[in-house]
Amino acid sequence: MKVQNAAAKAKVDTKAFCDQGAETFKVGSELALKAEISNDFFVRTTDEQHEDGVRYAWSTLNERAYIYTSKHEGWYSVSDETFYPSSAVHLVIEPTSGRKMMASIETGKEVEWSSEVNYKFRLSELGPKLLEFYESNPQFVIPHYRMRDIVNQVRNGLEDLSISRPTSRLQWGIPVPEDDSQTMYVWLDALLNYATKAGYPWPPAAQNNNTMWPADCHVIGKDIIRFHAIYWPAFLIALEMPLPKTILTHAHWTIGHEKMAKSTGNVVNPFFAMDRFDPDTIRFYLAHDGGISNDANYDNSYISQRYEIELRNNLGGLASRILRTKSWSARKSIEMNAAGELEPWLGTYAKQRDFLGDTLRRVTEHMEKMDASAAVKEALGLVHETNAFLQQAQPWTDDPERLSTIEDAPHRVQRTVFLCAETLRFAAIMLQPFLPNYMATLFEMLGVASDKRTIAHAIVGADADYGQSTIRLGRGEDGALFPSLLVRD
């Protein structure tokens, strides 16, 4: 209904209205190209394959007696496209107009009382099966506190779910099979697109050999968790289909610590953001500051700070000090390590060497928990520690008094340079999902072969062939891994 109303307001046919919006996000569009985003499929619920799958699912649910007709009364949100029970709405006063209205407690969107005859799904009957599934899969929803909220909602009892609207009120959607007076409810239709693009309904022989289903992870915003963690699993259980392994729910971005909204104009134009910085910098910032549990505040000054401090000074500075100098040879230190000439590793050097492996382990754990922000910060922590180690080791000094206080003075330069080079190699491997272009440049600066840039090669000493840059390193700003920002705030 939200789309239908928006199209009517724009005085455009609903399908044409959706076609215009789809082009903004479709692969090959200007935004996707600029953001360097790719995907396997672009799904539209108007696709014929999808509509056929939804009709099949409806017929299956109906045959299994999960669907019935009933008069439905409740609080309906056009914006959220769902009915809410009375316990989920409250009276609020609109700040700008002072108007009193009923709104969803969860989303803050206005609701209106609606009474109509439509089809319902027997959601209440599936409560015990949902609780059984949650108990067997405690990591189904991430983070865990949202999992607890979902379990509590189901334990408190579920109401049967309205899954259609009268065609007199809603024309935009798939007509109910054998009843043109009703249009399917948007969430049943929309949620099934995950399965229809994976080939649902599958031929019997392919049911147990489907490599695309179930999904390993669904990534959703926290405001639609009810639909994905209660309704969607219930539909799948009723259809006797496997459930997704994990649902990762992320928090929101705010501006000025207020929720982004088109109505107030406090939104970010992604084109402007990437023109001002670049796709890698924006991707890195979103991963570094973005929240899973808590909302994050978007601010251009924060992007500049992260770039200057974490990337340009921290990582870029280390790359310049180790690779863009004539005082030592990174390649020679790597050759000496491969020949065993730097052993044994003792004291500060041994500690720094172990820190590389420990960091990789922690980054891996964070990624397995789907906490990209923690993983990025852990990888950057390694670079911070290595810069401190380099400052302590001072491979550039030839002061005899200073050398007398440094462990293993005869090989101190080679040991130090090797460990710093390994830090750069590890950092490039760990950070390449977040900074693909910049890390590709760092790999070239290090001379790491293209087939040795995976996590499997993140073992100290595993690559004995790098150390000779394959690109011009330059001096100063010329050839710097992270050049100066043209705009800082």
Side-chain angles (χ1 to χ4, degrees), residues 317-336 386-387 389-398 403 411-422 424 445-446 467-469 473:
L318 182 64
S320 289
R321 295 168 84 181
I322 296 302
L323 303 176
R324 305 171 74 201
T325 179
K326 295 181 179 179
S327 300
W328 50 71
S329 166
R331 178 63 196 149
K332 180 180 177 181
S333 70
I334 293 162
E335 290 174 339
M336 289 180 68
T386 302
N387 273 315
F389 161 75
L390 178 61
Q391 192 64 32
Q392 179 186 3
Q394 294 190 21
W396 51 82
T397 186
D398 56 2
L403 292 180
H411 288 312
R412 67 181 181 84
V413 173
Q414 289 76 20
R415 283 194 176 97
T416 301
V417 172
F418 171 75
L419 291 172
C420 290
E422 285 289 82
L424 291 170
M445 292 174 72
L446 289 163
Q468 188 66 47
S469 177
L473 294 176

Side-chain angles (χ1 to χ4, degrees), residues 114-146:
S114 177
S115 178
E116 59 193 37
V117 174
N118 52 29
Y119 287 93
K120 287 189 175 183
F121 173 72
R122 298 185 191 277
L123 181 65
S124 59
E125 291 186 6
L126 291 164
K129 290 185 178 180
L130 285 170
L131 290 173
E132 181 181 346
F133 174 78
Y134 298 152
E135 185 175 356
S136 301
N137 300 272
Q139 299 300 314
F140 179 58
V141 174
I142 296 175
H144 185 64
Y145 79 89
R146 291 198 185 112

Side-chain angles (χ1 to χ4, degrees), residues 256-267:
H257 302 286
E258 294 183 358
K259 186 177 179 181
M260 292 189 193
K262 292 181 181 178
S263 58
T264 58
N266 62 330
V267 294

Side-chain angles (χ1 to χ4, degrees), residues 300-359:
N300 285 330
S301 67
Y302 294 167
I303 303 175
S304 297
Q305 289 171 18
R306 306 295 181 264
Y307 182 90
E308 288 292 336
I309 296 172
E310 299 292 357
L311 300 181
R312 180 171 165 79
N313 295 342
N314 186 31
L315 181 53
L318 182 64
S320 289
R321 295 168 84 181
I322 296 302
L323 303 176
R324 305 171 74 201
T325 179
K326 295 181 179 179
S327 300
W328 50 71
S329 166
R331 178 63 196 149
K332 180 180 177 181
S333 70
I334 293 162
E335 290 174 339
M336 289 180 68
N337 178 72
E341 297 177 29
L342 302 185
E343 297 179 359
W345 294 91
L346 303 171
T348 302
Y349 299 100
K351 181 180 179 181
Q352 180 66 22
R353 191 176 189 274
D354 292 342
F355 192 61
L356 283 160
D358 291 341
T359 298

